[in-house]
């Protein structure tokens, strides 16, 4: 799998006055941020689900579909209106249907999603989080994302990002992160940092020819030609931790100029570093760089280690009346326990029953130390459940909550109602203890992708995990029947009304008995003719 | 008589206790015919859990019970089964005493009518005898306690049983002639489910009859009587609502209870007519039809009070039936309450016209409800139209049942005055029709 990050700083003042230098920072995004008084913005578009057991730990996992969380400045008076306007502006900027974000899928988390940038105070009423699990990522979303880069897709690493190769993948995630950072050590002033991240997982067997090798050309059908002139740093890092120098298991062309050893997610990893600003890397003939890797021996690919922190979620139950959401959280650390903050957002039409919440670890009940539950209001806001659960070492914690499926009005069903309704993934945040001392020195040269979550404490690293999005069916009414139903129900009411009207307004009277058969037939014929009867 | 009542009570309690201990409890508690979003036990437990968590139970849209019910169960949660069995017993005993007292009233009225020679000479077969009326109270209690609908409601722990008990005590207080107690219990019943407000009219007429006040809009005694009863009822209602406000320190229970009953936002299927109608309603007309359907429940009160001003107990029965059929979230518990009154009108049997068809309709639709629900929700081979059709059949059956009894009642009154063997002009047997 390959992962690219472009990061750039921009000298921009975070004050109210509009003194702005849009040399590297994209003006479109900068104007959106200043117009809506955004302090931090994190937006991601994801297609697919990261398979931890096969691909290892992701650098930055994102929730399936679209996920947007924003911290507003404390100067904002009406956060909900600003949120609505911001989502509409971003919807236009990224050509995505972010306008589907409304109060029915927006929540205000109280404990998860603490700000990642420099902060003064954290009143969570300025935080908004929304996810659209049904959204699809396509070329239309990639193009504006590429436009935000200073060189666009014309020079530098972004040359490789062509849509027809990028979307033939098992996993595609692009994200935009804007946060305020300190300009210098004393942190007197802040500037905005824009991080754009793209994660893709290529399938070697599907995209390649089945040989145990890959190259930039094979993956992207392009090679690197020139570096972006605005870039101060342009580097390719290749994870060569699994290579065995003695046995010479893999071969890199061109050979790695230098190797960097650093700690990532609690492990020592070594990276082959290709500095693209170095002109000697490029071949003299075609002035292009194609990095290729070939595995020599027919050794099995190394199965990634069992991750310390893992989670799964699924729906159980049968029928369209009730169901149960189960979340399994694994702590595979041999001796350390750590707490995890679980945040679940369930749409209002799956009515959660909080008294059925059960958390069991190793067969015993596990009470959360912090629980915040905000029940849903029909057609207004979703359920928000946040819990802080302690995970003992080497354990599986099972969290179950029952729900009831609501019958919606016939206009509220999406097209293809029997496809089901998506429930956004739950977010688990934890400070996972690492077995080795993590590097906390921020000034030391480290890969950029480790910079987003800086570790303050050497013994833990921050992990944000997303579970699978769920697909739940709801009972549907018959969509072809509105007129028929109105008629039939009104008929029943009219039967009631008619009977009571007759009984209330009429009185008993004696009537003359009707005549013989002949008279009856004559009356019938007269009636057919339209003439009054005898 | 008391001994047989005790025996019936013991049998009923045993049946319920056996069902409480069986594995059917879960299944029955989830049935949409027996519980609705207004009175489901699961939601009461949910409300209590939210209260324990420190969140207001009315902040979500799950809990629609009144604060008094919430606090009642806050203290009685461990004895819930006993509470519901006690409610059923109280309702049955109250209805027993009502039937007994009403029999005495009927007999006295009949004697007075005979003395004043109001009846035609040949109506001896229509006259009610004490011997025939002796077993009616026991039958009423039996009909209520051993009705499968009542048993299901009790086993599901639906708070409809509590509402039925309050209404039964209200009818008892009315029959005994105590205006104050009647107003108190009517206020409690209306506070819990709003629709018993319509029972104000029959209670007023019954109390007027009991206290020998002539029902005449121009007479000051009647107006004073009306005013007194209305003030007592409204005063009690205000006191209870203010008490609820002080229990939870907010008015948020009002949109969650009365707002919910009136605006019907939750479209969970039930045995009523509202859910599918509003699931398929064009959004533009929604408010209009909500208003029409809600007015429909209270619409018949005034005409019925004019027609049945001399027969307030029958009026009470018809009004209870109309509430049970046309309310926004009906359950079988509401149906069971008015069905308990049917033994009181046993003497109308000879004038009922469609009783066989109606009985077949009601029994077959009651049996088909769970079958078609399973086919729609679990098997996936039917769709919502099947369940909706059975809802329609069930409601038409109920409407025909009530209108049939109504027809029989006024027909009997007609024959009592005019005589049974009516002759037409040419001497042959007459046809009597409603014209």
């Amino acid at each position: 799998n390959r992962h690219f990050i472009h990061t750039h700083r921009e000298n921009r003042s975070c004050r109210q006055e509009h003194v702005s230098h849009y040399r590297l920072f994209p003006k479109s995004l900068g104007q959106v941020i200043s117009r809506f008084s955004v302090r931090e913005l994190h937006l991601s578009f994801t297609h697919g689900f990261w398979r931890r057991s096969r691909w290892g730990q992701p650098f930055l996992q994102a929730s399936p579909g679209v996920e947007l969380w924003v911290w507003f400045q404390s100067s904002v008076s009406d956060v909900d209106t600003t949120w609505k306007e911001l989502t509409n502006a971003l919807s236009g900027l990224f050509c995505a249907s972010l306008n589907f974000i409304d109060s029915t899928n927006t929540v205000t988390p109280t404990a998860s999603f603490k700000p990642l940038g420099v902060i003064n105070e954290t009143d969570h009423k300025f935080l908004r989080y929304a996810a659209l699990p049904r959204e699809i990522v396509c070329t239309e979303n990639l193009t504006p994302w590429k436009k935000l880069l200073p060189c666009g897709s014309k020079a530098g690493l972004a040359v490789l990002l062509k849509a027809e190769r990028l979307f033939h993948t098992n996993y595609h995630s692009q994200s935009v992160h804007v946060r305020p950072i300190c300009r210098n050590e004393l942190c007197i002033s802040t500037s905005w940092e824009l991080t754009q991240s793209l994660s893709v997982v290529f399938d070697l067997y599907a995209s390649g020819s089945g040989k145990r090798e890959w190259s930039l050309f094979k993956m992207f059908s392009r090679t690197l030609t020139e570096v972006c002139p605005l870039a101060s740093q342009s580097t390719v890092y290749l994870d060569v931790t699994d290579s065995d120098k003695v046995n010479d298991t893999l071969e890199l062309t061109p050979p790695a100029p230098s190797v960097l050893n650093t700690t990532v997610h609690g492990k020592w990893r070594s990276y082959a570093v290709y500095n693209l600003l170095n002109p000697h890397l490029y071949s003299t003939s075609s002035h292009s760089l194609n990095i290729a890797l070939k595995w020599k021996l027919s050794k099995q690919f190394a199965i990634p280690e069992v991750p310390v922190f893992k989670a799964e979620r699924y729906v159980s139950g049968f029928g369209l009346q009730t169901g149960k959401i189960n979340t399994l959280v694994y702590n595979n650390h041999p001796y350390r326990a750590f707490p995890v903050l679980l945040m679940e957002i369930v749409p209002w039409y799956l009515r959660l029953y909080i008294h059925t919440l059960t958390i069991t670890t190793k067969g015993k009940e596990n009470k959360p130390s912090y629980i915040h539950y905000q029940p849903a209001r029909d057609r207004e806001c979703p359920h928000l459940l946040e819990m802080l659960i302690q995970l003992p070492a080497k354990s599986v914690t099972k969290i179950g909550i029952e729900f009831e499926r609501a019958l919606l009005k016939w206009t509220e069903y999406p097209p293809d109602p029997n496809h089901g309704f998506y429930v956004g993934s739950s977010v688990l945040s934890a400070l996972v203890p690492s077995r080795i001392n993590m590097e906390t020195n921020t000034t030391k040269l480290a890969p950029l992708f480790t910079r987003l979550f800086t570790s303050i404490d050497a013994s833990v690293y921050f992990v944000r995990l997303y579970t699978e999005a769920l697909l739940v069916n709801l009972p549907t009414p018959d969509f072809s029947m509105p007129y028929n139903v109105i008629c039939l129900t009104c008929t029943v009411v009219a039967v009631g009304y008619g009977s009571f009207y007759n009984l209330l307004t009429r009185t008993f009277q004696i009537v003359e008995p009707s005549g013989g058969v002949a008279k009856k037939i004559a009356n019938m014929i007269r009636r057919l003719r339209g003439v009054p009867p005898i | 008589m008391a001994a047989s009542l005790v025996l019936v009570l013991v049998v009923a309690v045993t049946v319920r206790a056996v069902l409480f201990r069986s594995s059917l409890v879960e299944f029955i508690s989830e049935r949409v015919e027996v519980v609705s979003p207004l009175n489901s036990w699961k939601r009461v437990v949910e409300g209590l859990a939210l209260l324990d968590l420190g969140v207001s139970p009315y902040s979500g849209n799950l809990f629609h019970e009144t604060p008094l019910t919430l606090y009642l169960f806050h203290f009685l949660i461990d004895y819930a089964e006993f509470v519901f069995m006690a409610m059923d017993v109280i309702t049955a005993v109250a209805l027993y005493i009502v039937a007994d007292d009403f029999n005495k009233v009927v007999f006295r009225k009949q004697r007075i009518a005979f003395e004043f020679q109001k009846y035609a000479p040949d109506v001896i077969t229509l006259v009610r005898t004490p011997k025939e009326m002796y077993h009616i109270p026991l039958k009423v209690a039996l009909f209520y306690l051993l009705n499968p609908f009542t048993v299901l409601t009790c086993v599901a722990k639906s708070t409809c049983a509590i509402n039925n008990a309050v209404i039964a005590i209200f009818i008892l207080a009315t029959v005994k002639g105590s205006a104050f107690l009647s107003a108190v219990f009517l206020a409690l019943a209306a506070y819990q489910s709003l629709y018993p407000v319509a029972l104000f009219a029959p209670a007023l007429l019954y109390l007027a009859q009991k206290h020998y006040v002539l029902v005449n809009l121009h007479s000051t005694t009647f107006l004073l009587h009306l005013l007194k009863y209305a003030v007592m009822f409204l005063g009690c209602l205000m006191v209870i609502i203010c008490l609820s406000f002080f229990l939870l320190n907010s008015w948020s229970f009002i949109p969650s209870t009365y707002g919910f009953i009136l605006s019907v936002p939750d479209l969970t299927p039930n045995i009523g007519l509202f859910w599918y109608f509003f699931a398929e309603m064009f959004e533009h007309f929604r408010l209009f039809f909500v208003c029409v359907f809600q007015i429909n429940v209270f619409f018949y009160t005034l005409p019925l009070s004019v027609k049945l001003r001399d027969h307030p107990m029958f009026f009470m029965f018809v009004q209870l039936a109309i509430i049970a059929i046309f309310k926004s979230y009906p359950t079988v518990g509401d149906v069971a309450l008015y069905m308990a009154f049917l033994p009181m009108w046993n003497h109308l049997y000879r004038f009922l016209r469609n009783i066989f068809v109606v009985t077949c309709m009601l029994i077959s639709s009651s049996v088909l409800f769970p079958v078609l629900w399973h086919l729609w929700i679990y098997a996936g081979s039917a769709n919502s139209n099947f369940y909706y059709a059975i809802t329609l059949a069930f409601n038409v059956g109920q409407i025909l049942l009530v209108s049939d009894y109504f027809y029989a009642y006024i027909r009997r009154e007609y024959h009592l005055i005019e005589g049974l063997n009516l002759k037409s002009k040419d001497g042959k047997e007459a046809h009597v029709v409603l014209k």
Side-chain angles (χ1 to χ4, degrees), chain B residues 163-176:
Chain B
N163 202 23
N164 285 357
V166 174
I167 293 177
I169 301 177
F170 148 71
I171 299 176
L172 176 64
T174 313
V175 160
K176 288 293 185 191

Side-chain angles (χ1 to χ4, degrees), chain A residues 9 118 181-191 440-444:
Chain A
R9 289 195 153 119
V118 168
I181 55 165
C182 293
R183 252 188 253 194
N184 44 34
E185 288 281 320
L186 295 163
C187 214
I188 300 165
S189 57
T190 56
S191 60
T440 54
N441 196 351
T442 48
T443 55
K444 186 185 164 192

Side-chain angles (χ1 to χ4, degrees), chain A residues 46 63-66 105 131-136 421-425 469-470:
Chain A
T46 312
S63 128
V66 167
N105 44 29
L132 294 172
R134 208 184 164 116
E135 279 302 303
I136 304 169
F421 287 77
Y422 283 94
V423 179
S425 51
L470 303 171

